Amino acid sequence: MIGDKDISLTFMKGMEVLEAFEHAASPLTIPELSRATGINRSVTRRLVLTLVQLGYLLEAKRAYTPSPRVLRLASGYLKERQLGRTVQPVMASYSKRLGDAISLAVRDGVDAIYVAYSPGDPALITSGFNIGSRLPLTATAIGRVLLAFEDPAEVDRILAEPSAVFTPATKTAPAAILKDLAEIRGRGFAHVTEEYEPGVASIAVAVPGPGNIAKAALGIVGPAARFERMETCVEKAKLLSECADTLADFV
């Protein structure tokens, strides 16, 4: 555990200000950022003006939005894993074979975050998510498969916190989710229907890593009616697993 004396609390607050824009649908003012982060308004103002000076925020009429420069923060991660040069072409190939858009996600806290996305065929109907989109671990197939192949102590820690409810079908009881995780490990893929969005189902598989811990997950999303037959789900999952095995050395 790193102690407070070894870290910059000011830098941490600056990152909290940047992260406050993640779910913002419009520019945010300093008072709005102060409320969102819980940071004193005068401190928030100094942090915001510093981020403007560094080029990470843009200002218009006393409201602020992230600038394209924030993408630099992700470029090292994406480049190291060859997501554009190697991973994307593989995903595009399997997306065409599946007839579904494929998403690649990794765990970030209690969320799955998309780090690569391939519609394959431009004519395919996509899920509306893109790189950087976040999904809850507990209510989505891509999140559940990350949990299914995670350290059990970490899973218990995550499930100890209340799970959000998105639809009437959302499972929130830890026992129910743990039962589903055991079934996922048994059959090798996750299949979640209408727990995150009404009328929508998703299938996902783990990208294998050391110690049976998932490095990442690959998933597809579509109308629930398309994934009603288990035979269809098994066929889709088999191709997804082939893709995951191909990508295992790169993510």
Side-chain angles (χ1 to χ4, degrees), residues 93-176:
S93 172
Y94 278 91
S95 178
K96 289 178 181 178
R97 292 173 64 185
L98 280 160
D100 293 280
I102 301 178
S103 300
L104 175 69
V106 296
R107 186 171 80 84
D108 182 27
V110 297
D111 294 326
I113 182 169
Y114 284 2
V115 294
Y117 182 79
S118 177
D121 184 343
L124 291 177
I125 298 174
T126 65
S127 63
F129 300 109
N130 49 36
I131 295 174
S133 293
R134 305 177 79 90
L135 296 175
L137 292 176
T138 55
T140 61
I142 211 162
R144 290 253 178 94
V145 84
L146 286 169
L147 281 180
F149 296 95
E150 179 56 89
D151 179 81
E154 184 67 5
V155 174
D156 289 341
R157 186 190 67 79
I158 291 170
L159 295 185
E161 299 296 324
S163 298
V165 177
F166 300 96
T167 75
T170 304
K171 295 176 184 175
T172 58

Coordinates of all heavy atoms in Angstrom, one line a residue, residues 93-176:
S93 N -11.5 -9.3 -38.9 CA -11.7 -10.5 -39.6 C -12.8 -11.4 -38.9 O -13.7 -11.9 -39.6 CB -10.4 -11.3 -39.6 OG -10.5 -12.6 -40.1
Y94 N -12.7 -11.5 -37.6 CA -13.7 -12.3 -36.9 C -15.1 -11.6 -36.8 O -16.1 -12.3 -36.8 CB -13.2 -12.6 -35.5 CG -12.3 -13.8 -35.4 CD1 -10.9 -13.6 -35.5 CD2 -12.7 -15.1 -35.3 CE1 -10.0 -14.7 -35.5 CE2 -11.9 -16.2 -35.3 CZ -10.5 -16.0 -35.4 OH -9.7 -17.0 -35.4
S95 N -15.1 -10.3 -36.8 CA -16.4 -9.6 -36.9 C -17.1 -9.9 -38.1 O -18.4 -10.2 -38.1 CB -16.1 -8.1 -36.8 OG -17.3 -7.4 -36.8
K96 N -16.4 -10.0 -39.2 CA -17.1 -10.4 -40.5 C -17.6 -11.8 -40.5 O -18.7 -12.1 -41.0 CB -16.1 -10.2 -41.7 CG -15.8 -8.7 -42.0 CD -14.8 -8.5 -43.1 CE -14.5 -7.1 -43.3 NZ -13.5 -6.9 -44.4
R97 N -16.8 -12.7 -39.9 CA -17.2 -14.1 -39.8 C -18.4 -14.3 -38.9 O -19.3 -15.1 -39.2 CB -16.1 -15.0 -39.3 CG -14.9 -15.1 -40.3 CD -13.7 -15.8 -39.7 NE -14.0 -17.2 -39.3 CZ -13.2 -18.0 -38.7 NH1 -12.0 -17.6 -38.3 NH2 -13.6 -19.2 -38.4
L98 N -18.5 -13.5 -37.8 CA -19.6 -13.6 -36.9 C -20.8 -12.9 -37.4 O -22.0 -13.3 -37.0 CB -19.2 -13.0 -35.6 CG -18.3 -13.8 -34.6 CD1 -17.6 -12.9 -33.6 CD2 -19.2 -14.8 -33.9
G99 N -20.7 -11.9 -38.2 CA -21.8 -11.0 -38.6 C -22.2 -10.1 -37.4 O -23.4 -9.7 -37.3
D100 N -21.3 -9.8 -36.5 CA -21.5 -9.0 -35.4 C -20.3 -8.1 -35.1 O -19.2 -8.5 -35.4 CB -21.7 -9.8 -34.1 CG -23.0 -10.7 -34.1 OD1 -24.1 -10.1 -33.9 OD2 -22.9 -11.9 -34.4
A101 N -20.6 -6.9 -34.6 CA -19.5 -6.0 -34.1 C -18.9 -6.6 -32.9 O -19.6 -7.2 -32.0 CB -20.0 -4.6 -33.9
I102 N -17.6 -6.5 -32.7 CA -16.9 -7.1 -31.6 C -16.2 -6.0 -30.8 O -15.7 -5.0 -31.3 CB -15.8 -8.1 -32.0 CG1 -16.3 -9.2 -32.8 CG2 -15.0 -8.6 -30.8 CD1 -15.3 -10.2 -33.4
S103 N -16.3 -6.1 -29.5 CA -15.7 -5.2 -28.6 C -14.7 -5.9 -27.7 O -14.9 -7.0 -27.3 CB -16.7 -4.5 -27.6 OG -17.7 -3.8 -28.4
L104 N -13.5 -5.2 -27.5 CA -12.5 -5.7 -26.6 C -12.5 -4.8 -25.3 O -12.4 -3.6 -25.5 CB -11.1 -5.7 -27.2 CG -9.9 -6.1 -26.4 CD1 -10.0 -7.6 -26.0 CD2 -8.6 -5.8 -27.1
A105 N -12.6 -5.4 -24.1 CA -12.6 -4.6 -22.9 C -11.7 -5.2 -21.9 O -11.4 -6.4 -21.9 CB -14.1 -4.5 -22.4
V106 N -11.2 -4.3 -21.0 CA -10.4 -4.7 -19.8 C -11.1 -4.2 -18.6 O -12.0 -3.3 -18.7 CB -9.0 -4.1 -19.9 CG1 -8.3 -4.7 -21.1 CG2 -9.0 -2.6 -20.0
R107 N -10.8 -4.7 -17.5 CA -11.4 -4.3 -16.2 C -10.7 -3.0 -15.7 O -9.5 -3.0 -15.7 CB -11.3 -5.4 -15.1 CG -12.1 -5.0 -13.9 CD -12.2 -6.2 -12.9 NE -11.0 -6.4 -12.1 CZ -10.7 -5.8 -11.0 NH1 -11.5 -4.8 -10.5 NH2 -9.6 -6.0 -10.3
D108 N -11.5 -2.1 -15.3 CA -11.0 -0.9 -14.6 C -11.9 -0.6 -13.4 O -12.9 -0.1 -13.5 CB -11.0 0.3 -15.6 CG -10.5 1.6 -15.0 OD1 -9.6 1.5 -14.1 OD2 -10.9 2.7 -15.4
G109 N -11.4 -1.1 -12.2 CA -12.2 -1.0 -11.0 C -13.5 -1.8 -11.1 O -13.4 -3.0 -11.3
V110 N -14.6 -1.2 -11.0 CA -15.9 -2.0 -11.1 C -16.5 -1.9 -12.5 O -17.7 -2.2 -12.6 CB -16.9 -1.4 -10.0 CG1 -16.3 -1.7 -8.6 CG2 -17.2 0.0 -10.2
D111 N -15.8 -1.4 -13.5 CA -16.3 -1.3 -14.8 C -15.4 -2.1 -15.8 O -14.3 -2.4 -15.5 CB -16.2 0.2 -15.3 CG -17.2 1.1 -14.5 OD1 -18.3 0.6 -14.1 OD2 -16.9 2.3 -14.3
A112 N -16.1 -2.4 -16.9 CA -15.3 -2.9 -18.1 C -15.2 -1.7 -19.0 O -16.2 -1.0 -19.3 CB -16.1 -4.0 -18.8
I113 N -14.0 -1.4 -19.5 CA -13.8 -0.3 -20.4 C -13.3 -0.8 -21.8 O -12.4 -1.6 -21.9 CB -12.8 0.7 -19.8 CG1 -12.6 1.9 -20.7 CG2 -11.4 0.1 -19.5 CD1 -11.8 3.1 -20.1
Y114 N -14.0 -0.3 -22.8 CA -13.7 -0.7 -24.2 C -12.3 -0.1 -24.6 O -12.1 1.1 -24.5 CB -14.7 -0.2 -25.2 CG -16.0 -1.0 -25.2 CD1 -16.2 -2.1 -24.3 CD2 -17.0 -0.7 -26.1 CE1 -17.4 -2.8 -24.3 CE2 -18.2 -1.4 -26.1 CZ -18.4 -2.4 -25.2 OH -19.6 -3.1 -25.2
V115 N -11.4 -0.9 -25.1 CA -10.1 -0.5 -25.6 C -10.0 -0.7 -27.1 O -9.0 -0.2 -27.7 CB -9.0 -1.1 -24.8 CG1 -9.0 -0.6 -23.3 CG2 -9.0 -2.6 -24.9
A116 N -10.8 -1.5 -27.7 CA -10.8 -1.7 -29.1 C -12.2 -2.1 -29.5 O -13.0 -2.7 -28.8 CB -9.8 -2.8 -29.5
Y117 N -12.6 -1.7 -30.8 CA -13.9 -2.0 -31.3 C -13.9 -2.2 -32.8 O -13.2 -1.5 -33.5 CB -14.8 -0.8 -30.9 CG -16.3 -1.0 -31.4 CD1 -17.1 -1.8 -30.6 CD2 -16.7 -0.4 -32.5 CE1 -18.4 -1.9 -31.0 CE2 -18.1 -0.5 -32.9 CZ -18.9 -1.3 -32.1 OH -20.2 -1.5 -32.5
S118 N -14.6 -3.2 -33.3 CA -14.6 -3.5 -34.7 C -16.0 -3.8 -35.2 O -16.5 -4.8 -34.8 CB -13.6 -4.6 -35.1 OG -13.7 -4.9 -36.5
P119 N -16.6 -3.0 -36.0 CA -17.9 -3.3 -36.6 C -17.7 -4.3 -37.7 O -18.7 -4.9 -38.2 CB -18.4 -2.0 -37.2 CG -17.2 -1.2 -37.4 CD -16.2 -1.6 -36.4
G120 N -16.4 -4.5 -38.2 CA -16.2 -5.5 -39.3 C -16.8 -5.0 -40.6 O -16.2 -4.2 -41.3
D121 N -18.0 -5.3 -40.8 CA -18.8 -4.9 -42.0 C -19.5 -3.6 -41.6 O -20.2 -3.5 -40.7 CB -19.9 -5.9 -42.3 CG -20.6 -5.6 -43.6 OD1 -20.6 -4.4 -44.0 OD2 -21.3 -6.5 -44.2
P122 N -19.2 -2.5 -42.4 CA -19.9 -1.2 -42.1 C -21.4 -1.3 -42.1 O -22.0 -0.4 -41.5 CB -19.4 -0.3 -43.2 CG -18.1 -0.9 -43.7 CD -18.3 -2.4 -43.5
A123 N -21.9 -2.3 -42.7 CA -23.4 -2.4 -42.7 C -24.0 -3.0 -41.4 O -25.2 -3.0 -41.2 CB -23.8 -3.3 -43.9
L124 N -23.1 -3.5 -40.6 CA -23.6 -4.1 -39.3 C -24.2 -3.1 -38.4 O -23.7 -1.9 -38.3 CB -22.4 -4.8 -38.6 CG -21.8 -6.1 -39.2 CD1 -20.7 -6.6 -38.4 CD2 -22.9 -7.2 -39.3
I125 N -25.2 -3.4 -37.7 CA -25.8 -2.6 -36.6 C -24.9 -2.6 -35.4 O -24.6 -3.7 -34.9 CB -27.2 -3.0 -36.3 CG1 -28.1 -2.9 -37.5 CG2 -27.7 -2.2 -35.1 CD1 -29.5 -3.5 -37.2
T126 N -24.4 -1.5 -35.0 CA -23.5 -1.4 -33.8 C -24.2 -1.1 -32.6 O -25.4 -0.7 -32.6 CB -22.3 -0.4 -34.1 OG1 -23.0 0.9 -34.1 CG2 -21.6 -0.6 -35.4
S127 N -23.5 -1.3 -31.4 CA -24.1 -1.2 -30.1 C -24.2 0.3 -29.6 O -24.9 0.5 -28.6 CB -23.3 -2.0 -29.1 OG -22.0 -1.5 -29.0
G128 N -23.6 1.2 -30.3 CA -23.6 2.6 -29.9 C -22.5 2.9 -28.9 O -22.3 4.0 -28.5
F129 N -21.6 1.9 -28.6 CA -20.5 2.1 -27.7 C -19.2 2.2 -28.6 O -19.2 1.7 -29.7 CB -20.3 1.0 -26.7 CG -21.5 0.8 -25.8 CD1 -22.4 -0.3 -25.9 CD2 -21.8 1.8 -24.8 CE1 -23.5 -0.4 -25.1 CE2 -22.9 1.6 -24.0 CZ -23.7 0.6 -24.1
N130 N -18.2 2.8 -28.0 CA -16.9 2.9 -28.7 C -15.8 2.9 -27.7 O -16.0 2.7 -26.6 CB -16.9 4.2 -29.6 CG -17.3 5.4 -28.8 OD1 -17.0 5.5 -27.6 ND2 -18.1 6.3 -29.4
I131 N -14.6 3.1 -28.2 CA -13.4 3.0 -27.4 C -13.5 4.1 -26.3 O -13.8 5.2 -26.5 CB -12.1 3.3 -28.2 CG1 -11.9 2.1 -29.2 CG2 -10.9 3.4 -27.3 CD1 -10.8 2.3 -30.2
G132 N -13.3 3.6 -25.0 CA -13.5 4.5 -23.9 C -14.8 4.3 -23.2 O -14.9 4.8 -22.0
S133 N -15.8 3.7 -23.8 CA -17.1 3.5 -23.2 C -16.9 2.5 -22.0 O -16.0 1.6 -22.0 CB -18.1 2.9 -24.2 OG -18.4 3.8 -25.2
R134 N -17.7 2.7 -21.0 CA -17.6 1.9 -19.7 C -18.9 1.2 -19.5 O -20.0 1.8 -19.7 CB -17.2 2.8 -18.5 CG -16.0 3.6 -18.7 CD -15.8 4.5 -17.5 NE -15.2 3.8 -16.4 CZ -13.9 3.7 -16.2 NH1 -13.0 4.2 -17.0 NH2 -13.4 3.0 -15.2
L135 N -18.8 -0.1 -19.1 CA -20.0 -0.9 -18.8 C -19.8 -1.5 -17.4 O -18.7 -1.8 -17.0 CB -20.1 -2.0 -19.8 CG -20.4 -1.6 -21.3 CD1 -20.4 -2.8 -22.2 CD2 -21.7 -0.8 -21.4
P136 N -20.9 -1.7 -16.7 CA -20.8 -2.3 -15.3 C -20.4 -3.8 -15.4 O -20.8 -4.5 -16.3 CB -22.2 -2.1 -14.8 CG -23.1 -2.1 -16.0 CD -22.3 -1.3 -17.0
L137 N -19.5 -4.2 -14.5 CA -19.1 -5.6 -14.5 C -20.2 -6.5 -14.2 O -20.3 -7.6 -14.7 CB -18.0 -5.8 -13.5 CG -16.6 -5.1 -13.7 CD1 -15.7 -5.3 -12.5 CD2 -16.0 -5.7 -15.0
T138 N -21.1 -6.1 -13.4 CA -22.1 -7.1 -12.8 C -23.3 -7.3 -13.7 O -24.0 -8.3 -13.6 CB -22.6 -6.6 -11.5 OG1 -23.1 -5.3 -11.6 CG2 -21.5 -6.6 -10.4
A139 N -23.6 -6.4 -14.7 CA -24.8 -6.5 -15.5 C -24.7 -6.7 -16.9 O -25.6 -6.7 -17.7 CB -25.7 -5.2 -15.2
T140 N -23.4 -7.0 -17.4 CA -23.2 -7.2 -18.8 C -22.3 -8.5 -19.0 O -21.6 -8.9 -18.1 CB -22.4 -6.0 -19.4 OG1 -21.1 -5.9 -18.7 CG2 -23.1 -4.7 -19.2
A141 N -22.4 -9.0 -20.2 CA -21.7 -10.3 -20.5 C -20.2 -10.0 -20.4 O -19.4 -10.8 -19.9 CB -22.1 -10.9 -21.8
I142 N -19.8 -8.9 -21.0 CA -18.3 -8.6 -21.1 C -17.8 -8.4 -19.7 O -16.6 -8.7 -19.4 CB -18.1 -7.4 -22.1 CG1 -16.7 -7.6 -22.7 CG2 -18.2 -6.1 -21.4 CD1 -16.5 -6.8 -24.0
G143 N -18.6 -7.8 -18.8 CA -18.2 -7.6 -17.4 C -18.2 -8.9 -16.6 O -17.3 -9.1 -15.8
R144 N -19.3 -9.7 -16.8 CA -19.4 -10.9 -16.1 C -18.2 -11.9 -16.4 O -17.8 -12.6 -15.5 CB -20.7 -11.6 -16.4 CG -21.9 -10.9 -15.8 CD -22.5 -11.6 -14.6 NE -23.6 -10.8 -14.1 CZ -24.9 -11.0 -14.4 NH1 -25.2 -12.0 -15.2 NH2 -25.9 -10.3 -13.9
V145 N -17.8 -11.9 -17.6 CA -16.8 -12.9 -18.0 C -15.4 -12.4 -17.4 O -14.6 -13.2 -17.0 CB -16.7 -13.1 -19.5 CG1 -15.9 -12.0 -20.2 CG2 -16.1 -14.5 -19.8
L146 N -15.3 -11.1 -17.2 CA -14.1 -10.6 -16.6 C -14.1 -11.0 -15.1 O -13.1 -11.3 -14.5 CB -14.0 -9.0 -16.7 CG -13.6 -8.5 -18.1 CD1 -13.8 -7.0 -18.2 CD2 -12.1 -8.9 -18.4
L147 N -15.3 -10.9 -14.5 CA -15.4 -11.3 -13.1 C -15.2 -12.8 -12.9 O -14.6 -13.3 -11.9 CB -16.8 -10.9 -12.5 CG -17.0 -9.4 -12.1 CD1 -18.4 -9.2 -11.6 CD2 -16.0 -9.0 -11.1
A148 N -15.8 -13.6 -13.9 CA -15.7 -15.0 -13.8 C -14.3 -15.5 -13.7 O -14.0 -16.6 -13.1 CB -16.5 -15.7 -14.9
F149 N -13.4 -14.8 -14.4 CA -12.0 -15.2 -14.5 C -11.1 -14.2 -13.8 O -10.2 -13.6 -14.4 CB -11.6 -15.5 -16.0 CG -12.3 -16.6 -16.6 CD1 -13.4 -16.4 -17.3 CD2 -11.9 -17.9 -16.4 CE1 -14.1 -17.4 -17.9 CE2 -12.6 -19.0 -16.9 CZ -13.7 -18.7 -17.7
E150 N -11.5 -13.9 -12.6 CA -10.8 -12.9 -11.7 C -10.5 -13.6 -10.4 O -11.0 -14.6 -10.1 CB -11.6 -11.7 -11.6 CG -11.1 -10.5 -10.7 CD -9.7 -10.1 -11.2 OE1 -9.7 -9.2 -12.0 OE2 -8.7 -10.6 -10.7
D151 N -9.5 -13.0 -9.7 CA -9.2 -13.5 -8.4 C -10.4 -13.5 -7.5 O -11.1 -12.5 -7.4 CB -8.1 -12.6 -7.7 CG -7.7 -13.1 -6.3 OD1 -6.9 -14.1 -6.2 OD2 -8.2 -12.6 -5.4
P152 N -10.8 -14.6 -6.8 CA -12.0 -14.7 -6.0 C -12.1 -13.7 -4.9 O -13.2 -13.1 -4.7 CB -12.0 -16.1 -5.4 CG -11.1 -16.9 -6.4 CD -10.1 -16.0 -6.9
A153 N -11.0 -13.3 -4.3 CA -11.0 -12.3 -3.3 C -11.4 -10.9 -3.9 O -12.2 -10.2 -3.2 CB -9.7 -12.2 -2.6
E154 N -11.0 -10.7 -5.1 CA -11.3 -9.4 -5.7 C -12.8 -9.4 -6.1 O -13.5 -8.4 -6.0 CB -10.4 -9.2 -7.0 CG -10.6 -7.9 -7.7 CD -10.2 -6.7 -6.9 OE1 -9.6 -6.8 -5.8 OE2 -10.4 -5.6 -7.4
V155 N -13.3 -10.5 -6.6 CA -14.7 -10.6 -6.9 C -15.6 -10.4 -5.6 O -16.5 -9.6 -5.7 CB -15.0 -12.0 -7.5 CG1 -16.5 -12.2 -7.7 CG2 -14.3 -12.2 -8.8
D156 N -15.2 -11.0 -4.5 CA -15.9 -10.8 -3.3 C -15.9 -9.3 -2.9 O -16.9 -8.8 -2.4 CB -15.3 -11.6 -2.2 CG -15.6 -13.1 -2.3 OD1 -16.5 -13.5 -3.1 OD2 -14.9 -13.9 -1.7
R157 N -14.8 -8.7 -3.1 CA -14.7 -7.2 -2.7 C -15.6 -6.4 -3.6 O -16.3 -5.5 -3.1 CB -13.3 -6.7 -2.9 CG -13.0 -5.3 -2.4 CD -11.7 -4.8 -2.9 NE -11.6 -4.6 -4.3 CZ -12.1 -3.6 -5.0 NH1 -12.7 -2.7 -4.3 NH2 -11.9 -3.5 -6.3
I158 N -15.7 -6.7 -4.9 CA -16.6 -6.0 -5.8 C -18.0 -6.2 -5.5 O -18.8 -5.3 -5.4 CB -16.2 -6.4 -7.3 CG1 -14.9 -5.9 -7.7 CG2 -17.3 -5.8 -8.2 CD1 -14.3 -6.4 -9.0
L159 N -18.4 -7.5 -5.2 CA -19.8 -7.8 -5.0 C -20.2 -7.4 -3.6 O -21.4 -7.3 -3.3 CB -20.0 -9.3 -5.1 CG -19.8 -9.9 -6.5 CD1 -20.2 -11.3 -6.6 CD2 -20.6 -9.1 -7.6
A160 N -19.3 -7.0 -2.7 CA -19.7 -6.5 -1.4 C -20.3 -5.1 -1.5 O -21.1 -4.7 -0.6 CB -18.4 -6.4 -0.5
E161 N -20.1 -4.4 -2.6 CA -20.7 -3.1 -2.8 C -22.0 -3.3 -3.5 O -22.1 -4.2 -4.3 CB -19.8 -2.2 -3.6 CG -18.4 -1.9 -3.0 CD -18.6 -1.1 -1.7 OE1 -19.5 -0.3 -1.6 OE2 -17.8 -1.4 -0.8
P162 N -23.0 -2.5 -3.2 CA -24.3 -2.6 -3.9 C -24.2 -2.5 -5.4 O -23.5 -1.6 -5.9 CB -25.1 -1.4 -3.3 CG -24.5 -1.1 -2.0 CD -23.0 -1.4 -2.2
S163 N -24.9 -3.4 -6.1 CA -24.9 -3.3 -7.6 C -26.0 -2.4 -8.1 O -27.1 -2.5 -7.5 CB -25.0 -4.7 -8.2 OG -23.9 -5.6 -7.8
A164 N -25.7 -1.7 -9.2 CA -26.7 -0.8 -9.7 C -27.8 -1.6 -10.4 O -27.5 -2.7 -11.0 CB -26.1 0.1 -10.7
V165 N -29.0 -1.1 -10.5 CA -30.1 -1.8 -11.2 C -30.4 -1.0 -12.5 O -30.6 0.2 -12.4 CB -31.4 -1.8 -10.3 CG1 -32.6 -2.4 -11.1 CG2 -31.2 -2.6 -9.0
F166 N -30.4 -1.7 -13.6 CA -30.6 -1.0 -14.9 C -32.0 -1.4 -15.5 O -32.6 -0.6 -16.2 CB -29.5 -1.4 -15.8 CG -28.1 -0.9 -15.3 CD1 -27.3 -1.8 -14.7 CD2 -27.7 0.4 -15.5 CE1 -26.1 -1.5 -14.2 CE2 -26.4 0.7 -15.0 CZ -25.6 -0.2 -14.4
T167 N -32.4 -2.6 -15.3 CA -33.7 -3.1 -15.8 C -34.3 -4.0 -14.8 O -33.7 -4.4 -13.8 CB -33.5 -3.9 -17.1 OG1 -33.0 -5.2 -16.8 CG2 -32.6 -3.2 -18.1
P168 N -35.6 -4.3 -15.0 CA -36.2 -5.3 -14.0 C -35.5 -6.6 -14.0 O -35.7 -7.4 -13.0 CB -37.6 -5.4 -14.6 CG -37.9 -4.1 -15.3 CD -36.6 -3.8 -15.9
A169 N -34.7 -6.9 -15.0 CA -34.1 -8.2 -15.1 C -32.7 -8.2 -14.4 O -32.0 -9.3 -14.3 CB -33.9 -8.7 -16.5
T170 N -32.2 -7.1 -14.0 CA -30.8 -7.0 -13.5 C -30.7 -7.8 -12.2 O -31.4 -7.6 -11.3 CB -30.5 -5.5 -13.2 OG1 -30.6 -4.7 -14.4 CG2 -29.0 -5.4 -12.7
K171 N -29.7 -8.6 -12.2 CA -29.3 -9.4 -11.0 C -28.4 -8.5 -10.1 O -27.5 -8.0 -10.6 CB -28.6 -10.7 -11.4 CG -29.4 -11.7 -12.1 CD -28.6 -12.9 -12.5 CE -29.3 -13.9 -13.4 NZ -28.5 -15.0 -13.9
T172 N -28.8 -8.4 -8.8 CA -28.0 -7.6 -7.9 C -27.6 -8.5 -6.7 O -26.6 -8.1 -6.0 CB -28.8 -6.4 -7.4 OG1 -30.0 -6.9 -6.8 CG2 -29.1 -5.5 -8.6
A173 N -28.2 -9.6 -6.4 CA -27.9 -10.4 -5.2 C -26.5 -11.0 -5.5 O -26.3 -11.7 -6.5 CB -28.9 -11.4 -4.9
P174 N -25.5 -10.9 -4.6 CA -24.2 -11.5 -4.8 C -24.3 -13.0 -5.0 O -23.6 -13.5 -5.9 CB -23.5 -11.2 -3.5 CG -24.1 -9.9 -3.0 CD -25.5 -10.0 -3.4
A175 N -25.2 -13.7 -4.4 CA -25.3 -15.2 -4.5 C -25.8 -15.5 -6.0 O -25.3 -16.4 -6.6 CB -26.3 -15.7 -3.5
A176 N -26.7 -14.7 -6.5 CA -27.1 -14.9 -7.9 C -26.0 -14.7 -8.9 O -25.9 -15.4 -9.9 CB -28.4 -14.1 -8.2

